[in-house]
Amino acid sequence: MKRRALLQRGALVLLLGVQHVARGAGIVAVRVWPAPDYSRVTIESDVPLVTHQTFVTEPPRLAVDIEGLTLDASLRELVGRVQADDPNIERIRVGQYSPNVVRLVIDLKRPAKPQVFSLQPVAAYQHRLVFDLYPAVQEDPLQALIDERLREKPPAAAAAAPAGTPDPLDDLIARHTGPELRESPPPGQIKPLPDPATSTVRPPSPTLPHGTLAGAPEEPPKVARRPPAPAAAPARTDRLIIVALDPGHGGEDPGAIGPSGTREKDIVLRVAHKLRERINATSVNGNPMRAFMTRDADFFVPLQVRVQKAQRVQADLFISIHADAFTTPAARGASVFALSERGATSTAARWLANKENQADLIGGVNVKAKDAHVQRMLLDMSTTAQINDSLKLGSAVLGEIGGMARLHKPRVEQAGFAVLKAPDIPSVLVETAFISNPDEEAKLRSEAYQDDLADAIMRGIRAYFAKNPPLARNRTV
């Protein structure tokens, strides 16, 4: 009898335990990460969440039913987390759909391709339910750079040019786009959306059931024809030199954290912004430079996407910026790394590369959405020529950083960093300092030190191009 009673009580405990898991999921945190590339919504919980989602195209919205939840203050916070300037999310509504189901509705500003997936606990995170909201039409980043350059052209430049002389900026567009892009987009790309100002206003979303949820153009002026320029003075063409800047980590991935709480992702983004200003104000042999940032705000970019972005804009250089930590606070000094075909040049370099290559686990990547073939091609096509050019770039940058800061090693080190594996772009990773060292953390927080770093890297870029002029570009996106 006693044995039977114990078994019955045990079965009752098991039943209560199952019911607790089904109904007692606790929300740890909610986060919203807006970005032009995509907007991410994250719900972190102490147990995995079961969901059922529906995407409605007109007006665009994602409805998600989450089982085992009771609406609480944490979930209601999502409503106020949406920023007015979020390029993708209009608003978030949340309500108790049924006694055991919370319904979440994300109203979108434009057509989207949403992805919903779960992440297992890793680092400081528990279970995460992630909604990635990608715009259906992605901006062409190379065209955006060209348009930015065109807007900088002085108004008097066109009038001052001799009649019949090719416009350097027209040549710039021809070099970077090609006729197939000027006339129609290539396979896999979609023409840009129409101007929202001319679009039809979207009707309000219907209330969901079972609960209330929180003329003709003017003729161009005639311009007097100027005498033709002497044949001995042909016009210079305008070759845009593109440097891809890659601030490490971002969004869900804070990177290394210093003793005083300084986050790597914040520091490297500031340095990258300062470096972008310097690049955009510089030219090489009369050709303008333009910086392209793999992320220009606080959002996460997977490692392979960082490489793909640099390739899409046909970058001449790729510079990844970090401020990492080591197992001991005594480690100090800046470093520069290039890719290696034959293993790391030191144990520390191998350890660091392995650590950086785990960024996707922390930042959160939808594994099911990855193209395994594309990923394998990206990571297996490194070339000896690319590595040699990367070592030259790394040496130039390291030499300039050594003039304003302490170096961890006096030479460029090599390891298998996934983010450096663009087969056709000289690529380096700059460790600006060890954020785990209290003295260096304080330096990294200093705007003066950030300025000095940006100046040094800029001098290194110029020194590299002085000996290795950019090749004529004959590729198209």
Side-chain angles (χ1 to χ4, degrees), residues 12-35:
L12 178 61
V13 169
L14 288 174
L15 288 173
L16 287 175
V18 171
Q19 188 177 32
H20 177 73
V21 170
R23 297 179 177 272
I27 302 302
V28 176
V30 295
R31 295 178 289 275
V32 179
W33 306 99

Side-chain angles (χ1 to χ4, degrees), residues 354-387:
N354 291 337
K355 184 173 179 293
E356 293 294 356
N357 290 346
Q358 294 174 359
D360 282 356
L361 296 176
I362 300 173
V365 173
N366 185 4
V367 177
K368 294 181 180 179
K370 278 190 173 183
D371 188 327
H373 174 71
V374 172
Q375 184 183 23
R376 184 168 58 252
M377 290 292 290
L378 276 173
L379 301 186
D380 291 345
M381 288 178 60
S382 57
T383 64
T384 301
Q386 185 260 21
I387 292 176

Side-chain angles (χ1 to χ4, degrees), residues 111-291:
K113 295 180 179 179
Q115 296 181 12
V116 181
F117 57 98
S118 298
L119 297 170
Q120 295 297 316
V122 63
Y125 291 119
Q126 299 189 46
H127 297 273
R128 286 177 288 173
L129 177 62
V130 178
F131 311 94
D132 281 351
L133 305 160
Y134 290 89
V137 178
Q138 294 280 356
E139 181 187 54
D140 181 351
L142 177 55
Q143 187 61 50
L145 286 178
I146 294 173
D147 291 343
E148 185 179 277
R149 170 63 183 164
L150 290 173
R151 288 193 295 269
E152 293 180 354
K153 181 181 179 183
T165 301
D167 188 336
L169 292 175
D170 289 339
D171 181 75
L172 165 66
I173 296 176
R175 285 170 177 266
H176 284 273
T177 59
E180 70 277 12
L181 280 187
R182 293 194 299 274
E183 296 170 2
S184 61
Q189 294 190 13
I190 306 174
K191 290 184 178 180
L193 284 173
D195 187 345
T198 62
S199 301
T200 305
V201 177
R202 188 178 67 209
S205 176
T207 303
L208 293 166
H210 301 283
T212 303
L213 300 175
E218 297 181 1
E219 184 179 351
K222 295 181 179 179
V223 180
R225 202 177 272 276
R226 294 175 179 265
R236 172 185 291 275
T237 56
D238 202 35
R239 198 288 204 188
L240 196 63
I241 299 172
I242 300 173
V243 179
L245 301 179
D246 176 49
H249 310 282
E252 293 282 293
D253 178 15
I257 300 178
S260 298
T262 308
R263 300 182 302 187
E264 179 184 4
K265 68 173 183 177
D266 299 328
I267 296 299
V268 298
L269 183 60
R270 292 175 201 161
V271 174
H273 275 295
K274 290 177 179 294
L275 182 53
R276 177 171 69 174
E277 293 174 0
R278 288 153 174 78
I279 290 173
N280 289 351
T282 303
S283 62
V284 174
N285 296 327
N287 295 313
M289 296 182 69
R290 183 65 52 199

Side-chain angles (χ1 to χ4, degrees), residues 271 274-275 278-279 319 334 336 393-405 407 430 432 448-464:
V271 174
K274 290 177 179 294
L275 182 53
R278 288 153 174 78
I279 290 173
I319 299 177
V336 177
L393 172 62
S395 295
V397 172
L398 187 70
E400 295 297 335
I401 293 178
M404 51 76 56
L407 296 179
V430 178
T432 53
Y449 186 75
Q450 295 170 15
D451 284 330
D452 289 344
L453 279 170
D455 288 336
I457 298 173
M458 185 71 247
R459 290 193 300 270
I461 293 172
R462 291 181 65 91
Y464 171 80

Side-chain angles (χ1 to χ4, degrees), residues 320-375:
S320 192
I321 305 173
H322 291 257
D324 219 320
F326 198 59
T327 54
T328 169
R332 61 192 305 153
S335 305
V336 177
F337 294 85
L339 190 63
S340 172
E341 286 184 305
R342 302 177 181 177
T345 52
S346 70
T347 302
R350 183 183 303 108
W351 179 88
L352 184 60
N354 291 337
K355 184 173 179 293
E356 293 294 356
N357 290 346
Q358 294 174 359
D360 282 356
L361 296 176
I362 300 173
V365 173
N366 185 4
V367 177
K368 294 181 180 179
K370 278 190 173 183
D371 188 327
H373 174 71
V374 172
Q375 184 183 23

Side-chain angles (χ1 to χ4, degrees), residues 436-458:
S436 53
N437 182 295
D439 294 335
E440 297 207 332
E441 179 192 22
K443 284 184 179 180
L444 288 168
R445 294 171 63 96
S446 163
E447 188 162 351
Y449 186 75
Q450 295 170 15
D451 284 330
D452 289 344
L453 279 170
D455 288 336
I457 298 173
M458 185 71 247

